[in-house]
Amino acid sequence: MPSSKRVLIVGGVAGGASCAARLRRLDETAEIHLFDRGLYVSFANCGLPYYVGNVIREEQKLLVATADLFQNRFNIAVHTETEALSIDRENRTLRVKDLRTGQERVEPYDVLVLSPGAGPIRPQVPGIDLDGIFALRTIPDSRKIRDWIETKGAKSAVVIGAGFIGLEMAENLAHRGLHVTLVEKAPHVMPILDPEMAAPVATKLQANRVTVRVGDGLAGFEKRGDRLAVLTESGAAFETDLVLLAVGVRPEVSLAKAAGLTLGARGGIVVDEFLTTSDPHIWAVGDAIEIHDLVTGQEAIVPLAGPANREGRLAAEAIAGRPRPFRGVQATAVCGLFGLTIATTGASERGLRRVGNIAYEKVYLHPGHHAGYYPGARPIHLKLLFRVPDGRILGAQAIGEDGTEKRIDVIAMAIQMGATVFDLEESELCYAPQFGAAKDPVNVAGMIAANFLRGDMALADWDAVPSTSSDVLVVDVREPSEFDTGHLAGATNLPLSQLRVRFEELPKDKELWLCCGVGQRAYYATRFLMQHGYRAKTLSGGMRTAEALGKS
């Protein structure tokens, strides 16, 4: 049995609570104390927007585990409303303050685990402290927002920031009948996505009467009677009954910094592969640490519940004397918005460009989420990024309805296993007409990418459309009736149905860029023309991608 030790854990929720429970399962002799400055030691903070929106109606449903449960089931002492003030590393003590009584005390430790999380960013702009401006991070935060809506009879809200929390809050405030305006400084909503993949998200917001303002940052707030005015950098002003700040979070590192623990370039606590800090007696987990990005090889701060839970478990393993390394993260995430599913894993194209040292290519596809002959098929807009020349999968983004997150989950596991697009091509996945197709969207993504890598299909550069050179001719192989509804500038229409008898009309001294609705017919045309001596390339994803890129 492991030797007895006194373990103090600062912060609960995902990382700290998981660490405490896992450590107890591994070591019955350890004396475990968990400190949290809030009222609740373990709650579902991802459910908070849905509590505000009355989708979750009972606050009690948000409580994952109570202090009594930790004590009775695991013999873990939980100290809520107790703030950690300072660490004496030399003497291995933690000074804490009971926020109910104001009394301070010193707690000795053999092992200290820091799980302080991250706090919402409050921009330092004029009027930031006015009443009616909220951030959402805890159950009391959600309670205050609900009370404000009900007591003030709020009819409108402005959400600052269009990331995960911003979108979820926009949806839930709209669900409560408020008119919502969404303000985002980045040029598109959901900045974690590449711009063309975010286009359907903006469309869905607008279809649900959410006013979307992108490319315009927050400048300040003013009080106007009993309402607030949100002022933007462009000079616009939006009057509203309440404001929700969702501009991101910042790691809570004040305790670690004051103790002299090493911080990284991104402002998080530096840990090794076993989650140990620069002090061998102190571990750190969760939103406050910098962790290794599996795809880019860089250090990152990824405030997601899944990684925090895994980090908590692995820290407990190391403390119990059976260390296993943390593999790193790939930022797999999903968000729901008015029935739309937004899912992503691995690197974005913007991230790969920023890193700059990874040769990559991308493909777009828009398959149905199940067999087209079965009623109700809906498209999934999928972008797959892969390394050249070996085809290792780097990232994927998908927008759709049913089954969207399932496809990203499959690709996420493929990334974790170091798989290539050739593995996706050969993946054996569930098939019945109401769930998928014999060639699942995951298979099709792999096939398209594999076709490129094998030289069976060259890819045209969407970034060069429509301003192509005189050496390029865009050929749209849709039927004339489709072509007439909209096409790329300068495109020539030669339907696939007529290609075999008319292909000699096409010039051999130009590179031909083939386009269709979603990419399939263009691929067929590319293969035909390549075998007849033409220099042919496919515009991946066809006009559906062109629309998202703003090329149509």
Side-chain angles (χ1 to χ4, degrees):
M1 181 174 287
S3 59
S4 176
K5 57 177 70 76
R6 196 169 200 266
V7 180
L8 307 185
I9 301 174
V10 176
V13 194
S18 293
C19 181
R22 179 63 174 164
L23 181 58
R24 173 55 75 225
R25 292 194 293 273
L26 298 175
D27 186 353
E28 269 298 316
T29 71
E31 181 185 347
I32 306 172
H33 294 262
L34 198 159
F35 300 87
D36 198 291
R37 64 187 173 195
L39 284 166
Y40 308 101
V41 65
S42 182
F43 64 92
N45 53 3
C46 294
L48 296 178
Y50 303 94
Y51 179 52
V52 172
N54 266 342
V55 176
I56 299 172
R57 293 184 175 273
E58 300 175 37
E59 186 179 284
Q60 193 72 19
K61 298 286 188 182
L62 297 170
L63 301 181
V64 177
T66 64
D68 286 344
L69 184 146
F70 273 97
Q71 180 64 61
N72 297 332
R73 183 174 295 179
F74 298 114
N75 189 28
I76 294 170
V78 173
H79 309 267
T80 55
E81 296 184 272
T82 303
E83 183 174 9
L85 299 177
S86 63
I87 303 167
D88 182 339
R89 290 169 54 193
E90 183 176 355
N91 295 303
R92 292 194 214 165
T93 60
L94 176 71
R95 187 165 60 92
V96 301
K97 178 180 181 179
D98 188 322
L99 298 177
R100 290 160 294 197
T101 66
Q103 293 183 335
E104 297 182 12
R105 65 183 187 274
V106 172
E107 297 273 2
Y109 66 83
D110 297 304
V111 170
L112 177 64
V113 180
L114 300 179
S115 180
I121 295 172
R122 292 185 68 86
Q124 295 306 300
V125 296
I128 187 66
D129 294 321
L130 290 171
D131 289 340
I133 301 173
F134 302 94
L136 182 62
R137 195 71 179 168
T138 66
I139 289 177
D141 291 338
S142 62
R143 196 181 297 152
K144 289 175 184 176
I145 298 169
R146 285 170 58 94
D147 289 346
W148 183 273
I149 292 171
E150 289 159 11
T151 59
K152 300 291 184 179
K155 302 296 183 186
S156 62
V158 173
V159 178
I160 312 294
F164 287 104
I165 296 299
L167 293 186
E168 289 172 350
M169 283 304 300
E171 177 188 35
N172 279 282
L173 290 168
H175 182 260
R176 294 201 60 161
L178 279 70
H179 177 268
V180 179
T181 299
L182 190 60
V183 176
E184 170 58 56
K185 186 169 185 176
H188 61 87
V189 298
M190 192 57 97
I192 193 173
L193 298 178
D194 290 322
E196 72 278 17
M197 296 303 292
V201 182
T203 300
K204 177 62 74 170
L205 286 162
Q206 291 160 349
N208 285 272
R209 297 182 296 175
V210 174
T211 300
V212 178
R213 180 92 172 193
V214 294
D216 199 1
L218 174 67
F221 303 97
E222 289 180 356
K223 189 74 172 172
R224 294 188 180 178
D226 59 355
R227 307 187 82 209
L228 290 164
V230 178
L231 312 178
T232 69
E233 292 172 349
S234 70
F238 301 95
E239 290 197 15
T240 186
D241 297 319
L242 71 93
V243 173
L244 193 288
L245 296 172
V247 294
V249 295
R250 183 178 289 116
E252 294 273 14
V253 297
S254 56
L255 190 66
K257 183 177 181 180
L261 298 177
T262 301
L263 304 182
R266 298 184 178 277
I269 303 169
V270 171
V271 296
D272 64 14
E273 60 182 340
F274 301 107
L275 289 313
T276 313
T277 69
S278 53
D279 185 316
H281 302 286
I282 303 176
W283 277 255
V285 300
D287 297 354
I289 68 171
E290 293 192 5
I291 42 184
H292 188 67
D293 185 308
L294 284 171
V295 177
T296 67
Q298 298 185 325
E299 299 306 302
I301 294 176
V302 180
L304 294 171
N309 273 285
R310 296 196 300 276
E311 292 154 13
R313 286 175 57 85
L314 289 174
E317 298 267 356
I319 293 164
R322 40 185 282 181
R324 289 190 294 123
F326 180 60
R327 69 177 185 88
V329 296
Q330 60 199 62
T332 303
V334 65
C335 177
L337 181 72
F338 299 113
L340 193 69
T341 301
I342 307 153
T344 178
T345 188
S348 65
E349 185 172 8
R350 187 177 66 255
L352 291 173
R353 286 175 175 169
R354 187 168 55 245
V355 172
N357 61 357
I358 301 175
Y360 72 92
E361 190 52 88
K362 60 181 182 276
V363 294
Y364 299 96
L365 58 156
H366 310 278
H369 84 282
H370 63 52
Y373 64 82
Y374 189 87
R378 297 288 184 271
I380 295 175
H381 307 292
L382 179 60
K383 178 180 184 178
L384 181 71
L385 295 149
F386 55 96
R387 194 166 66 188
V388 176
D390 63 358
R392 183 163 181 169
I393 305 160
L394 300 174
Q397 300 168 31
I399 312 293
E401 296 178 22
D402 293 343
T404 300
E405 75 291 344
K406 178 176 80 170
R407 274 63 186 211
I408 290 297
D409 280 340
V410 171
I411 296 171
M413 180 54 69
I415 292 174
Q416 179 174 337
M417 303 304 294
T420 69
V421 298
F422 305 108
D423 296 307
L424 295 188
E425 186 181 32
E426 295 295 331
S427 296
E428 186 172 336
L429 305 172
C430 291
Y431 164 56
Q434 67 269 47
F435 299 108
K439 289 189 291 189
D440 189 84
V442 170
N443 298 129
V444 176
M447 290 172 184
I448 296 171
N451 282 337
F452 166 77
L453 292 172
R454 292 189 182 109
D456 292 336
M457 178 187 70
L459 290 171
D461 183 4
W462 273 112
D463 291 339
V465 175
S467 56
T468 54
S469 70
S470 58
D471 296 329
V472 171
L473 175 65
V474 176
V475 181
D476 192 317
V477 298
R478 295 176 297 161
E479 294 301 312
S481 60
E482 297 174 275
F483 183 81
D484 290 343
T485 63
H487 53 265
L488 298 175
T492 293
N493 184 214
L494 179 52
L496 179 64
S497 61
Q498 303 174 30
L499 185 62
R500 290 184 181 275
V501 296
R502 294 180 53 196
F503 72 93
E504 291 180 339
E505 298 175 15
L506 297 171
K508 279 202 168 182
D509 61 340
K510 291 180 181 287
E511 192 171 85
L512 305 180
W513 289 10
L514 285 301
C515 183
C516 64
V518 295
Q520 187 178 60
R521 285 175 286 178
Y523 167 61
Y524 297 157
T526 299
R527 289 301 303 149
F528 175 84
L529 291 168
M530 287 177 68
Q531 293 177 75
H532 283 78
Y534 288 86
R535 293 177 295 141
K537 294 183 177 181
T538 300
L539 282 162
S540 174
M543 289 302 296
R544 187 69 63 90
T545 298
E547 292 166 9
L549 288 164
K551 303 287 186 178
S552 61

